[in-house]
Amino acid sequence: MKTTPTIVLFRQDLRLADHPALWAGAQRGPVLPVFIPEPLDEHGAAWRWWHDRSLAAFSAALTERGLPLILRCGDLLATVRELVVQSGASAVFWNRRYDPSGMARDRALKAALLADGVEARSFPGDLLAEPWELLRGDRPYRVFTPFWKAFLSRGQVVELLPIPDHLQAPSSIPSSDNLDSLAWRPRKPDWSAGLATAWEPGEKGAWRRFRDFLETGLYCYDGGRNEPACHCVSRLSPHLAHGELSPRQIWQQMRETASRHPQLAISADAFLRELGWREFSWHLLYHFPDLPHTPLRPEFARFPWREDRGALSAWQRGRTGYPLIDAGMRELWQTGWMHNRVRMLTASFLVKDLRIPWQEGAAWFRDTLVDADLANNSVSWQWVAGCGADAAPYFRIFNPVLQSRKFDPNGVYLRRWLPELGALDDTDIHDPDNAGKLALARAGIVLGRNYPFPMVDHALAREAALQAFAQLKK
């Protein structure tokens, strides 16, 4: 074992268990955990709120084991070089990341450190398989089902790594910036109260959430995951996005649960397939780094999108006049999260009913989601817009009223987020515009005053969208 320290860089992997770089560093000798924040414009406000809390929890977990978390703000290479000198470190380890800008910075960091004579190593990041390991011949997959079949044919996922038994701090500890210096917490007015009520960031909170899902949600996941009022979904996505759990941990735990309880096997497989979509999204982003801004299907660069800042604002604020859309957008604003089925429907409404570019929706989600994930967000928006890999056909245009009646038949989800509609019966609450005057009066609703009229006629908007799509074929 070496006595010179190893700097371990932490980014979106704020955990102690199943952390390859931390494990390798601990086997080598003393470890200096370091966090260097990325430029602010790379992450949205809700993501930063979560990461601030997650960093505090991670720092406390390290302190319990006698290690400091060194926080330094500044240029990545210059800051790491400074810390190498101050700590006497002879190696710098990190888990790989797969976003284009992060990979570029890490490649430059590794090349510079090796030139300095410092050992620099990267380890598998928070994916089940490296994006370059699954190819169709020499080409990346562009359709999910064959990608997932190829993944499953590989067999077992890499074995998990425990928390290192012995974590030793270096004899020389460099100074650290204060967490408050990041300025990631909301200024006045503080909009984060709903987030703080809904979530417990950190590795311990992640495991509590996961165990609760395994005990109370997984049994109904296969049948209930499309119902936004149902408790069957895991809500693990923020913990994954911030690396408080690894997908390998989720995979192994889910397989073990299904093995012990065969009646849960169908739900477990359905859940792991969703984990597979996350994997597929990072596969695509790695091979097509322009995905966050550029349609994968190039003909969609000619699509006649509309620019309408007023309509975009109404969608963002949950004031479209379509209850399921508005409920989802208000859930997003208050909690930093939205049910997956409702994400799909709100996205479809923006790009097809309003014909506003998908990039605008992706940008809003990126700023307001605590689970903002560049790959999943970009790929999923392109999927809904019909311009990406394995995309939903553009002519699949969801009717928000019919979807509401199908997936929230008793209006439980609607009443939770739209209390002004709460007195309407289970039929009228999905479509207040077509409720009778008497029903509206009894419920105390004046359309246009305390709840908006529908901002578009869905049937007409659908026809206009189809006509716009038809122009691409000419």
Side-chain angles (χ1 to χ4, degrees):
M1 179 178 284
K2 299 206 175 189
T3 57
T4 54
T6 300
I7 291 174
V8 177
L9 297 178
F10 289 85
R11 282 78 77 92
Q12 283 96 288
D13 49 3
L14 300 179
R15 63 181 184 276
L16 294 172
D18 195 39
H19 194 287
L22 177 62
W23 175 267
Q27 308 315 302
R28 190 176 179 274
V31 168
L32 183 68
V34 170
F35 181 85
I36 302 171
E38 308 290 3
L40 281 180
D41 58 0
E42 295 203 2
H43 300 292
W47 188 97
R48 293 196 295 270
W49 172 88
W50 185 293
H51 220 59
D52 176 85
R53 299 291 185 93
S54 189
L55 271 170
F58 183 59
S59 179
L62 286 171
T63 299
E64 290 176 3
R65 290 163 174 81
L67 290 181
L69 175 63
I70 304 302
L71 169 67
R72 286 285 183 92
C73 299
D75 173 76
L76 176 62
L77 175 55
T79 303
V80 170
R81 277 176 162 161
E82 186 176 67
L83 288 168
V84 165
V85 172
Q86 293 174 353
S87 66
S90 58
V92 181
F93 292 175
W94 62 84
N95 291 341
R96 295 184 198 110
R97 45 190 175 173
Y98 306 96
D99 62 291
S101 61
M103 286 192 300
R105 284 194 290 270
D106 286 353
R107 281 194 295 266
L109 176 65
K110 180 177 282 189
L113 290 175
L114 291 174
D116 292 345
V118 177
E119 183 181 354
R121 293 178 60 192
S122 62
F123 297 82
D126 282 356
L127 294 178
L128 297 172
E130 301 286 37
W132 53 85
E133 291 178 348
L134 282 176
L135 295 173
R136 193 166 197 162
D138 60 351
R139 297 181 180 180
Y141 285 92
R142 293 176 58 137
V143 178
F144 173 70
T145 298
F147 169 85
W148 190 231
K149 287 180 178 178
F151 172 82
L152 293 176
S153 70
R154 288 163 49 96
Q156 292 296 319
V157 170
V158 174
E159 190 172 332
L160 299 182
L161 295 169
I163 299 174
D165 291 331
H166 180 66
L167 288 170
Q168 178 186 352
S171 57
S172 178
I173 306 294
S175 63
S176 175
D177 294 337
N178 192 286
L179 191 56
D180 292 338
S181 66
L182 292 178
W184 282 358
R185 296 169 190 169
R187 304 301 181 189
K188 292 182 179 180
D190 186 348
W191 43 262
S192 67
L195 277 61
T197 300
W199 302 104
E200 182 189 357
E203 189 171 8
K204 290 181 180 178
W207 277 102
R208 272 191 277 270
R209 174 78 68 181
F210 191 20
R211 292 189 183 105
D212 181 65
F213 172 61
L214 292 175
E215 293 171 4
T216 66
L218 183 59
Y219 78 94
C220 63
Y221 180 81
D222 184 54
R225 69 182 187 273
N226 281 315
E227 300 174 13
C230 184
H231 69 282
C232 300
V233 295
S234 75
R235 295 169 65 91
L236 288 173
S237 54
H239 300 290
L240 264 173
H242 296 267
E244 298 162 352
L245 279 176
S246 77
R248 295 177 293 271
Q249 291 172 306
I250 292 176
W251 180 275
Q252 178 171 299
Q253 192 68 48
M254 194 63 64
R255 284 299 190 209
E256 289 177 357
T257 299
S259 177
R260 291 194 306 269
H261 306 283
Q263 71 274 19
L264 298 178
I266 293 177
S267 282
D269 286 345
F271 181 82
L272 291 177
R273 187 177 174 88
E274 294 303 313
L275 197 62
W277 178 262
R278 176 183 183 272
E279 200 81 8
F280 180 56
S281 298
W282 281 105
H283 173 87
L284 288 171
L285 181 61
Y286 176 82
H287 292 287
F288 304 99
D290 293 331
L291 269 179
H293 310 289
T294 305
L296 192 60
R297 293 177 59 184
E299 66 270 25
F300 270 84
R302 297 183 284 107
F303 189 85
W305 299 109
R306 297 172 58 244
E307 183 176 349
D308 188 333
R309 306 312 296 181
L312 176 62
S313 177
W315 175 82
Q316 291 170 339
R317 292 182 296 116
R319 300 287 295 170
T320 69
Y322 284 93
L324 186 59
I325 306 304
D326 294 339
M329 298 307 293
R330 295 190 199 181
E331 179 185 26
L332 171 61
W333 182 252
Q334 292 182 43
T335 72
W337 185 86
M338 191 194 303
H339 185 278
N340 190 58
R341 163 65 58 169
V342 186
R343 293 190 197 202
M344 180 176 66
L345 298 175
T346 56
S348 177
F349 187 86
L350 183 75
V351 299
K352 295 177 179 177
D353 285 71
L354 302 181
R355 294 211 327 278
I356 290 175
W358 61 269
Q359 292 95 329
E360 293 279 10
W364 182 251
F365 273 24
R366 187 160 167 74
D367 191 48
T368 54
L369 283 169
V370 292
D371 64 4
D373 175 306
L374 182 63
N376 205 23
N377 192 42
S378 303
V379 170
S380 295
W381 271 95
Q382 289 218 31
W383 183 87
V384 171
C387 61
D390 202 7
Y394 188 86
F395 53 79
R396 181 186 294 170
I397 301 176
F398 295 105
N399 183 313
V401 174
L402 296 182
Q403 290 285 308
S404 182
R405 287 178 172 149
K406 180 176 181 180
F407 293 110
D408 188 33
N410 298 319
V412 175
Y413 180 74
L414 299 184
R415 289 185 175 90
R416 182 182 306 162
W417 299 108
L418 303 174
E420 66 268 37
L421 301 183
L424 287 172
D425 65 26
D426 291 352
T427 298
D428 291 333
I429 194 171
H430 303 284
D431 189 11
D433 188 50
N434 284 311
K437 292 182 179 179
L438 183 58
L440 292 173
R442 285 175 176 169
I445 297 169
V446 180
L447 292 179
R449 185 181 302 172
N450 53 4
Y451 189 72
F453 287 103
M455 61 189 301
V456 293
D457 180 300
H458 173 71
L460 296 178
R462 179 180 184 277
E463 186 59 33
L466 292 175
Q467 290 177 6
F469 176 63
Q471 294 181 29
L472 297 183
K473 301 179 181 179
K474 296 180 181 178

